[in-house]
Amino acid sequence: MIHSLLRRDWIGQIRLALTLFGLPYTVCTPGARPAISCSYSHNFRTSQTLRPISTSFCNLYTTGVQTMPSSSAPHAKSRCPQYPGSKINRFVVPDDKVGWSQNWPQYKPLSYTDPLVEKKPVWADPEIDSFSPKFNTVDGAVDRTSFEGSYKMEKQKPLNPRGRTGVTGRGLLGRWGPNHAADPIVTRWKVDAKGGKTLHAVSKRPVLQFVSIKRKDCAEWAVPGGMVDAGEQVSITLQREFSEEALNSLVITPSEKAKISDRISKLFKSPGFQVYKGYVDDPRNTDNAWIETVAVNFHDDSGNSVSELPLQAGDDAGEVQWVDVDSSFPLYASHSHFLELVAKERKAHW
């Protein structure tokens, strides 16, 4: 997942006409992880029971049984020692003090908001004392609801539903409270010279490939993705981010853009598998601002949709390529676990 927070006013964005309604709720949740690390991906528990969800434009399906977050697995990357892109050291929060229910008078974290956020770009809220946001609801064009349910408030500021992070303010995030993102996971089958599915030598299962981009900020491979603009539907974000980051749609010719538009439209009208919907344990999270995402897998089963298009890095991506889905391939944030769920759903190698 890339959550492109420092958004710009892009010109010529591809806004494809696909509308999804009623996306289902969280289907997998973080599992246990003992150590605090800025690079690990949290685990998820899933069910094998599937439930189709139809809309007028496409079909989504997800696991039918939901699981609750493990109380023994507090967020970890959100407590990284140093806040990313700054020299701010977080107040050290031990596992037993993460929850807000724990009384901790000694907790005195620093407040930090990135200078670019303080310049009041269109994608960011102003300071909390200079406007009157409506939290836990849709506030005009801004969705301030959380997939985690109703979050608490303290001194007019929202509190991270997963607990303390060691820093207050917004950091690199634009919105107070939840910052909604979307992660399109585009996959295809790896094929041999004759067009047959390639089987893994050990598991004997067919090998999936997914579109992966290399982040410019940390040089880690990730799923394309970005923040949901105010008033924008998640389905549009999924397509836009895939186009901008994986297909370099911002700097291609009109004829190339039309070709990509047709193929992406075909792909995103196919049945999509909602991999995850919920809180993201991200190093950019603070006590008062955090990231939540919807990750959806769109699979080019026949290989004639986007599989043949030459990939070009664009927007926030340094490199882009088709990568084999394999547990040994390191990915940014929670993305390896997203891919694990996709592989299990597609009965592919992991």
Side-chain angles (χ1 to χ4, degrees), residues 26-31 45 65-71 148 162:
T26 307
V27 300
C28 46
T29 57
R45 297 176 305 219
V65 178
Q66 301 177 23
T67 56
M68 297 299 291
S70 170
S71 60
E148 301 286 299
R162 294 295 180 90

Side-chain angles (χ1 to χ4, degrees), residues 233-264:
Q233 296 175 13
V234 171
S235 60
I236 300 299
T237 308
L238 289 165
Q239 296 174 84
R240 171 170 54 75
E241 290 298 332
F242 180 74
S243 297
E244 291 173 353
E245 295 188 348
L247 296 174
N248 205 5
S249 65
L250 300 180
V251 292
I252 58 179
T253 66
S255 61
E256 290 173 325
K257 185 174 294 187
K259 180 180 179 181
I260 289 175
S261 176
D262 290 341
R263 294 199 176 187
I264 292 182

Side-chain angles (χ1 to χ4, degrees), residues 275-322:
V275 181
Y276 179 73
K277 185 176 183 179
Y279 180 89
V280 179
D281 185 11
D282 191 286
R284 291 165 290 186
N285 291 345
T286 73
D287 286 3
N288 309 122
W290 59 92
I291 296 174
E292 301 188 11
T293 196
V294 176
V296 180
N297 172 223
F298 293 98
H299 182 59
D300 184 5
D301 191 65
S302 63
N304 60 8
S305 181
V306 298
S307 297
E308 301 172 351
L309 292 177
L311 300 179
Q312 305 175 56
D315 193 38
D316 298 299
E319 301 176 38
V320 59
Q321 65 184 39
W322 288 99

Side-chain angles (χ1 to χ4, degrees), residues 214-226:
K214 195 171 187 179
R215 294 174 59 104
K216 291 180 180 178
D217 57 352
C218 63
E220 291 186 78
W221 288 95
V223 169

Side-chain angles (χ1 to χ4, degrees), residues 125-253:
D125 290 333
E127 284 302 312
I128 200 72
D129 57 358
S130 62
F131 78 132
S132 300
K134 298 177 181 178
F135 291 108
N136 284 304
T137 188
V138 177
D139 182 16
V142 179
D143 184 0
R144 301 190 190 277
T145 63
S146 170
F147 300 142
E148 301 286 299
S150 180
Y151 47 88
K152 297 179 179 179
M153 304 290 296
E154 184 177 271
K155 298 179 180 179
Q156 298 184 312
K157 296 179 181 179
L159 291 180
N160 189 313
R162 294 295 180 90
R164 298 179 175 95
T165 67
V167 66
T168 63
R170 282 174 291 163
L172 289 165
L173 303 180
R175 303 293 179 192
W176 294 98
N179 289 253
H180 291 287
D183 295 311
I185 304 172
V186 176
T187 56
R188 70 179 184 183
W189 294 114
K190 184 177 184 179
V191 297
D192 55 28
K194 296 182 179 180
K197 293 180 182 178
T198 299
L199 302 182
H200 191 267
V202 177
S203 69
K204 305 302 180 183
R205 289 179 175 269
V207 177
L208 276 173
Q209 294 183 317
F210 74 103
V211 175
S212 181
I213 62 172
K214 195 171 187 179
R215 294 174 59 104
K216 291 180 180 178
D217 57 352
C218 63
E220 291 186 78
W221 288 95
V223 169
M227 305 310 293
V228 179
D229 288 339
E232 184 178 49
Q233 296 175 13
V234 171
S235 60
I236 300 299
T237 308
L238 289 165
Q239 296 174 84
R240 171 170 54 75
E241 290 298 332
F242 180 74
S243 297
E244 291 173 353
E245 295 188 348
L247 296 174
N248 205 5
S249 65
L250 300 180
V251 292
I252 58 179
T253 66

Side-chain angles (χ1 to χ4, degrees), residues 45-72:
R45 297 176 305 219
T46 62
S47 165
Q48 298 302 314
T49 303
L50 300 179
R51 172 168 53 92
I53 298 170
S54 298
T55 71
S56 58
F57 289 94
C58 70
N59 294 316
L60 285 181
Y61 59 93
T62 181
T63 53
V65 178
Q66 301 177 23
T67 56
M68 297 299 291
S70 170
S71 60
S72 62

